[in-house]
Amino acid sequence: MYKLLSEQLEGEVKNLRAELDVAQKEHADLLEQVKIFEVSDDELDTVSNGLNPKVQKKIDRVDQLQAEMDEVKAMAEEWNGKMDRLASEKETAREQLASAEAQLRSVKEKAETRSRKIEDLQSQLGPAVAARDTFARELEAAKSVAETTRVDTKEMVDQYKADAEVAQEHLNTIVKYVKWQS
């Protein structure tokens, strides 16, 4: 938008310069005809003797065009300053964007690295879970075997106790018999 306005202002400045050149040429021609000058310390001013209004109109037009050209130059300088400031802000924004993009790439790389680590841990966790499940089944089987063995052992112990009692009674009977025979 500023560029468009700047181009329009530059076009107006060129038109005004062309008009000024034409007016200055006419002014110079008229000055040659009138030959009236007023000199001061600061600059050379042209004045007419009032007898020729056409010459005074041209002089006024030249002064008006110079004033308009000065205004347009001031506006152009202001717009150029704004354009320079906007270009600077644009460059700063680009630098900030580049920095943000670099940070984003860094964060993405870290996220990808963490994702790979998580996948590795999950792949290691799968066999560990399977091994735990296998151990749990083996433990249940061992508990079942242990319970069966305990029951069998209890039955055997009970049987041995019964057999021992029978043997003890048999031994007592033999001891009584031997005592009786003696």
Side-chain angles (χ1 to χ4, degrees):
M1 179 174 171
Y2 292 113
K3 190 173 183 178
L4 179 63
L5 289 173
S6 177
E7 290 173 0
Q8 289 175 349
L9 289 175
E10 287 176 12
E12 289 181 26
V13 167
K14 286 180 183 178
N15 291 339
L16 289 173
R17 282 186 183 156
E19 286 182 35
L20 180 62
D21 290 342
V22 169
Q24 284 177 339
K25 187 172 189 266
E26 289 177 8
H27 180 68
D29 292 342
L30 291 172
L31 283 178
E32 286 296 319
Q33 294 172 5
V34 175
K35 299 281 185 185
I36 299 175
F37 295 100
E38 179 180 291
V39 178
S40 68
D41 292 339
D42 297 335
E43 59 185 56
L44 180 65
D45 289 329
T46 308
V47 294
S48 69
N49 57 7
L51 298 176
N52 193 342
K54 189 175 182 182
V55 172
Q56 187 61 43
K57 272 186 173 180
K58 295 290 182 181
I59 291 172
D60 292 342
R61 180 70 179 145
V62 167
D63 291 340
Q64 179 187 3
L65 289 173
Q66 284 179 338
E68 288 178 14
M69 191 172 90
D70 290 342
E71 287 178 26
V72 170
K73 280 183 182 179
M75 287 175 58
E77 287 177 15
E78 181 182 339
W79 284 104
N80 284 337
K82 288 180 180 179
M83 286 174 46
D84 291 343
R85 183 179 47 82
L86 288 173
S88 173
E89 289 174 2
K90 180 180 174 183
E91 186 61 32
T92 301
R94 280 189 179 164
E95 290 171 1
Q96 290 173 345
L97 178 61
S99 173
E101 287 174 343
Q103 289 174 349
L104 181 61
R105 277 192 298 275
S106 174
V107 168
K108 280 184 178 179
E109 289 172 2
K110 287 179 182 178
E112 289 174 0
T113 302
R114 287 182 182 158
S115 177
R116 275 185 252 127
K117 285 181 181 179
I118 288 170
E119 288 173 1
D120 289 346
L121 290 173
Q122 285 176 338
S123 67
Q124 293 172 5
L125 182 61
V129 168
R132 185 201 65 192
D133 292 343
T134 303
F135 290 142
R137 285 191 299 275
E138 289 175 0
L139 178 62
E140 286 299 317
K143 283 181 180 179
S144 175
V145 167
E147 183 62 26
T148 304
T149 304
R150 186 185 66 77
V151 169
D152 289 346
T153 304
K154 186 173 187 245
E155 288 176 2
M156 286 174 56
V157 167
D158 289 344
Q159 184 63 42
Y160 286 136
K161 281 183 182 178
D163 288 346
E165 286 177 7
V166 169
Q168 184 69 32
E169 282 181 29
H170 184 52
L171 185 61
N172 284 339
T173 307
I174 292 175
V175 169
K176 283 184 187 178
Y177 174 71
V178 170
K179 277 187 183 176
W180 178 77
Q181 278 191 339
S182 6

